[in-house]
Amino acid sequence: MNRFIEFMEKYFVPFASKVGSQRHLVAIRDGFVTIMPLMILGSMAILINNLPIGPYQDFMTNLFGSDIWKNFGGNLWEGTFQVISLLTAFTIAYQLANSYNKDALSAGIVSVASLIILMEPISEGAGLPIIWAGAQGLFIAIITALLSTEIFIRLLGNKRLVIKMPEGVPPAVAKSFSSLFPSMITLSIFSLFEVLTLAVDIPDIHQAFYELIQAPISHLSNTLFAAVLIAFLLHLLWFFGLHGSNMMEPIMQAVYLPAIEANAAAYKAGEAIPYVVTKPFFDAFMYLGGTGATLALITAVFIAGRRHKHYYSISKMSVAPGLFNINEPILFGFPVVLNPILFIPFLLTPVVLTVISYTAISIGLVPKTIAFIPWTTPPVIGGFLATGSWKGAALAIFNFAVAVVMYLPFIGIAVRMQFEKNK
């Protein structure tokens, strides 16, 4: 075990650290984090509108009229999930330009304009295709944000493209004129690209990209193998002290956000819900107390680790934050990081919970997730909110019990080792 850890520290950790701090991946992650409150709001609005409780639906219908009251949630959906690609095009570009200490606001505006240039209008000369403004257009939105910002900030640094304004002109006006030519050139490049795609008989770049790349990725990512691989890699990064959640966030958002959006839309329309694995799938059924289901680890310490004074004292302090999936006190206080005793359960437990959850949902024992939930939602409550059913809460409880059982033998080993050490 020591040789394995030494090998990973020498070769894996430096590489993973570079990937985790890569400027563009960080911009994607922070761009999604910026709009997370909107995603939660839109998702919860649809869940409230379609909560499968007969008396609740009858009461709201009798109070406000048939389906009229659902306009409230529908409007929230349209202003959040329905335009999420446009929002991320702005926030990712903003974060990326900000990392270069450049004009982040202008970069965000140019990014959104570039994305709209690439969109095929609904009808001749009018109307945006709302399907590509939503989650299905996320991949193109991300690529557009990164490319347009890179082009824009490089042009912004060219002194020949700066329009110098006379003294006395307000700073905001002078700043906007300094980005005039870089903005024009960047948008012209995207416009030329759109013309070239039309010339080679690709009338809709979004549709072509979706059919070629995004749709296959969405289907592959919803396999059990993909879900297990992500769970394993995320916790392997955490074990070596790297923030696995943040490092995997660009992948999680780009791949699994469209999945939860599609599930919510299908639920809203009364259609079959398509995807098993979504972002809330992991949040509700795997992160029970945080990465590694560490609330179960705390429970295992309370059951079998009271004689380990250090583990027990840290566990008592970590219960409250653990209820809201905040587990840094456990990860770095025990520590779990680089702890050879906890290596196996910390990596294996999330994998087992992923397999159990995937199986339970696939065979119909538990409904598929339909709502985006905050990552701080307490375990069990998250299972209910994500699925809109008590069965989701029941699955979270079952997973929690499994996690406790998996941690118990290793806590026993830690207690025995501590006892031998203190002899």
Side-chain angles (χ1 to χ4, degrees):
M1 178 61 72
N2 288 335
R3 287 184 178 180
F4 173 77
I5 292 177
E6 288 174 2
F7 173 83
M8 295 295 283
E9 284 184 316
K10 183 177 180 180
Y11 296 104
F12 175 74
V13 173
F15 171 76
S17 297
K18 289 181 180 179
V19 172
S21 59
Q22 206 281 327
R23 186 191 302 271
H24 300 86
L25 293 180
V26 170
I28 294 172
R29 182 197 70 202
D30 292 345
F32 277 110
V33 169
T34 303
I35 63 169
M36 187 170 293
L38 298 181
M39 291 190 288
I40 294 169
L41 175 62
S43 186
M44 288 297 136
I46 293 302
L47 178 59
I48 292 171
N49 268 15
N50 299 276
L51 202 62
I53 300 175
Y56 164 77
Q57 293 286 339
D58 294 339
F59 171 77
M60 296 299 287
T61 299
N62 292 332
L63 187 63
F64 296 104
S66 178
D67 291 335
I68 294 177
W69 67 275
K70 292 189 177 183
N71 287 335
F72 174 75
N75 294 337
L76 290 176
W77 171 269
E78 290 173 0
T80 53
F81 263 96
Q82 196 87 332
V83 291
I84 199 169
S85 287
L86 297 176
L87 297 174
T88 53
F90 180 88
T91 56
I92 292 172
Y94 183 95
Q95 296 292 347
L96 181 57
N98 200 43
S99 72
Y100 285 110
N101 294 317
K102 297 293 185 178
D103 187 353
L105 182 60
S106 295
I109 294 171
V110 169
S111 174
V112 173
S114 300
L115 181 61
I116 292 174
I117 286 173
L118 296 179
M119 289 183 174
E120 183 72 13
I122 294 174
S123 58
E124 186 65 30
L128 290 178
I130 204 67
I131 184 174
W132 303 124
Q136 283 197 33
L138 266 179
F139 275 84
I140 290 290
I142 292 170
I143 295 169
T144 300
L146 297 178
L147 289 178
S148 66
T149 304
E150 286 292 341
I151 295 170
F152 175 75
I153 61 175
R154 279 160 174 72
L155 294 172
L156 199 62
N158 191 325
K159 295 181 180 180
R160 296 179 181 178
L161 299 177
V162 176
I163 299 177
K164 294 183 179 180
M165 303 298 292
E167 293 183 8
V169 174
V173 176
K175 189 175 184 179
S176 65
F177 270 89
S178 68
S179 63
L180 177 60
F181 283 134
S183 299
M184 291 171 61
I185 296 172
T186 302
L187 295 178
S188 297
I189 291 172
F190 277 86
S191 180
L192 178 60
F193 177 77
E194 173 71 2
V195 170
L196 292 175
T197 59
L198 289 172
V200 295
D201 199 26
I202 303 178
D204 190 339
I205 187 64
H206 280 82
Q207 185 67 43
F209 185 88
Y210 182 80
E211 292 175 354
L212 181 65
I213 297 176
Q214 187 171 346
I217 287 176
S218 296
H219 290 299
L220 287 174
S221 65
N222 246 271
T223 63
L224 177 59
F225 173 78
V228 167
L229 181 62
I230 286 177
F232 177 80
L233 290 176
L234 190 148
H235 288 81
L236 183 64
L237 290 166
W238 262 117
F239 180 79
F240 288 98
L242 303 169
H243 203 302
S245 304
N246 280 353
M247 294 176 70
M248 298 291 288
E249 193 69 11
I251 297 173
M252 298 287 283
Q253 294 288 6
V255 173
Y256 290 119
L257 185 58
I260 188 61
E261 191 269 347
N263 280 10
Y267 180 68
K268 177 183 177 183
E271 300 171 352
I273 298 171
Y275 295 113
V276 173
V277 185
T278 63
K279 184 69 166 56
F281 170 90
F282 294 103
D283 292 334
F285 304 125
M286 188 178 73
Y287 300 140
L288 304 175
T291 310
T294 48
L295 196 59
L297 173 57
I298 292 172
T299 304
V301 171
F302 288 156
I303 295 173
R306 290 175 177 268
R307 289 192 298 165
H308 198 298
K309 293 183 179 180
H310 176 69
Y311 279 10
Y312 187 61
S313 61
I314 295 294
S315 295
K316 287 193 295 183
M317 292 187 295
S318 301
V319 171
L323 289 172
F324 298 93
N325 300 320
I326 300 169
N327 65 346
E328 277 77 4
I330 291 292
L331 294 176
F332 300 105
F334 267 38
V336 172
V337 172
L338 293 177
N339 186 331
I341 300 172
L342 296 176
F343 174 77
I344 294 176
F346 184 71
L347 265 67
L348 191 59
T349 299
V351 169
V352 171
L353 299 188
T354 300
V355 173
I356 291 172
S357 304
Y358 188 95
T359 303
I361 294 174
S362 295
I363 64 177
L365 288 178
V366 177
K368 294 172 182 175
T369 53
I370 54 170
F372 196 95
I373 58 174
W375 65 271
T376 51
T377 304
V380 182
I381 295 176
F384 171 76
L385 292 177
T387 60
S389 169
W390 65 268
K391 294 180 180 179
L395 176 58
I397 293 172
F398 180 79
N399 281 359
F400 184 80
V402 170
V404 172
V405 170
M406 293 188 68
Y407 274 116
L408 277 173
F410 297 92
I411 293 301
I413 293 171
V415 169
R416 288 195 295 274
M417 290 180 65
Q418 185 70 16
F419 180 75
E420 293 293 331
K421 184 179 179 180
N422 292 336
K423 274 188 177 181

